[in-house]
Amino acid sequence: MGIFSLITGRPGPSGFGSASTAEQVTEGVDASNLTAIVTGGASGIGFETARVLALRKAHVVIAARNMDAANEAKQLILKDNEAAHVDVLKLDLCSMKSIRAFVDNFNALNLPLNLLINNAGIMFCPFQLSQDGIESQFATNHIGHFLLTNLLLDKMKSTARTTGIEGRIVNLSSIAHLHTYENGIKFDGINDEKSYSDKRAYGQSKLANILHAKELSRRLQEEGANITVNAVHPGLIMTNLFRHSAVLMKILQMLSYILWKNVPQGAATTCYVALHPSMKGVTGKYYLDCNEMAPSAYASDETLAKKLWDFSNKLVNSPPTTSN
């Protein structure tokens, strides 16, 4: 999949390409026996992912920080699709306390869990610490999803066991994972404000999303769990992720408009990896435009993936500071 395919939208080996939409790549799929959690499902490509999963009859739980936006998203989905099954639950990935409360609230619904779409994220933010004292982009984009996934794994495993249906976890990464700090992950200076770069910190968090997917995939395969884990790059889409650099991005978009996708195209790869029958048994991969791509050397480094796993576990079990 080269730049030519990206510009022309020419389909790759999967039969889909950069011009394909989420509805197109899931056409004919019946997801009526599936329950999905979509983080950040209240806006942007998260909303489109939630809408299309609901359209394909999945029971969708929108996990979002802003409950007004989440309820509005639910009403929008129901307006077009009265039969949709949609729940909303509060989740702030910047707070481990909120993540644990979300999991308790989800478990209280007594639902199965087949799909976990780790979609939410923040981008190019000024330096700040999360409620648990971790640099905010790393905390929200990686650590939050790492903890959330770990806390939901038992539910996903038991669902896969009792139903015989393969569980799928999708981590939203980005091509920005190529632009990270020296050595990939700054283990010794995650919270170092002096050497902080908003772009590299974002790239680091997106690299972490791929490494997390690869290491979790390896572990699940090792224990024979019927769950796949893959990472995707949705493409360049103008969403509110860009709120911290809107002017820069508007200029960039004018210069490279041909490379940008609309939101239905941006959600296509997520929906393809989550629902398409041809993805059965495929795990530990990185997808762009609904086709497998090789990520960076850092993203393919198994030793780095294991090191990040241990580092993340440590941060989750004893964060630098504890929120009230």
Side-chain angles (χ1 to χ4, degrees), residues 173-175 177-178 206-207 209-211 214 231-233 284-288 291-301:
S173 179
S174 167
I175 204 156
H177 81 274
L178 296 164
K206 296 288 104 181
L207 169 62
N209 294 147
I210 303 178
L211 291 169
K214 285 187 175 282
V232 304
H233 167 47
K285 307 292 187 192
Y286 173 64
Y287 275 73
L288 163 66
N291 288 276
E292 189 188 336
M293 280 281 284
S296 70
Y298 282 138
S300 309
D301 185 332

Side-chain angles (χ1 to χ4, degrees), residues 101-164:
F102 168 85
V103 172
D104 288 345
N105 291 332
F106 174 76
N107 287 337
L109 295 175
N110 276 322
L111 292 170
L113 182 58
N114 309 91
L115 306 174
L116 173 59
I117 315 292
N118 288 323
N119 162 86
I122 56 175
M123 184 179 195
F124 301 165
C125 309
F127 180 85
Q128 56 191 8
L129 296 179
S130 73
Q131 289 182 29
D132 305 288
I134 303 162
E135 186 275 308
S136 63
Q137 293 194 83
F138 192 75
T140 305
N141 299 349
H142 168 60
I143 291 293
H145 282 124
F146 176 84
L147 176 60
L148 177 70
T149 304
N150 278 359
L151 294 176
L152 290 170
L153 264 186
D154 283 345
K155 171 71 81 174
M156 289 197 78
K157 286 176 190 173
S158 65
T159 300
R161 262 197 314 273
T162 54
T163 62

Side-chain angles (χ1 to χ4, degrees), residues 51-210:
R51 185 188 74 79
V52 171
L53 292 179
L55 184 67
R56 302 299 173 225
K57 303 193 176 126
H59 184 158
V60 178
V61 178
I62 291 175
R65 195 170 43 182
N66 181 335
M67 289 307 282
D68 290 341
N71 282 307
E72 204 176 304
K74 177 182 176 175
Q75 293 314 314
L76 277 172
I77 292 170
L78 289 171
K79 203 174 97 181
D80 286 342
N81 175 11
E82 287 173 17
H85 288 281
V86 185
D87 285 304
V88 298
L89 288 176
K90 186 170 177 62
L91 171 67
D92 182 355
L93 286 158
C94 216
S95 154
M96 293 187 206
K97 187 177 168 189
S98 171
I99 294 163
R100 293 179 195 281
F102 168 85
V103 172
D104 288 345
N105 291 332
F106 174 76
N107 287 337
L109 295 175
N110 276 322
L111 292 170
L113 182 58
N114 309 91
L115 306 174
L116 173 59
I117 315 292
N118 288 323
N119 162 86
I122 56 175
M123 184 179 195
F124 301 165
C125 309
F127 180 85
Q128 56 191 8
L129 296 179
S130 73
Q131 289 182 29
D132 305 288
I134 303 162
E135 186 275 308
S136 63
Q137 293 194 83
F138 192 75
T140 305
N141 299 349
H142 168 60
I143 291 293
H145 282 124
F146 176 84
L147 176 60
L148 177 70
T149 304
N150 278 359
L151 294 176
L152 290 170
L153 264 186
D154 283 345
K155 171 71 81 174
M156 289 197 78
K157 286 176 190 173
S158 65
T159 300
R161 262 197 314 273
T162 54
T163 62
I165 302 167
E166 174 184 270
R168 294 185 185 181
I169 298 168
V170 183
N171 280 2
L172 264 79
S173 179
S174 167
I175 204 156
H177 81 274
L178 296 164
H179 183 64
T180 183
Y181 293 107
E182 200 180 344
N183 303 323
I185 308 283
K186 211 164 55 156
F187 293 110
D188 297 329
I190 281 292
N191 289 348
D192 182 22
E193 189 172 354
K194 274 205 215 55
S195 62
Y196 180 79
S197 152
D198 58 355
K199 311 290 186 294
R200 287 186 193 277
Y202 179 69
Q204 170 179 254
S205 71
K206 296 288 104 181
L207 169 62
N209 294 147
I210 303 178

Side-chain angles (χ1 to χ4, degrees), residues 11-62:
S14 69
F16 303 109
S18 62
S20 303
T21 66
E23 285 196 26
Q24 285 167 349
V25 304
T26 57
E27 205 171 326
V29 173
D30 177 8
S32 55
N33 54 353
L34 303 179
T35 300
I37 289 174
V38 182
T39 70
S43 64
I45 55 177
F47 170 73
E48 178 67 1
T49 300
R51 185 188 74 79
V52 171
L53 292 179
L55 184 67
R56 302 299 173 225
K57 303 193 176 126
H59 184 158
V60 178
V61 178
I62 291 175

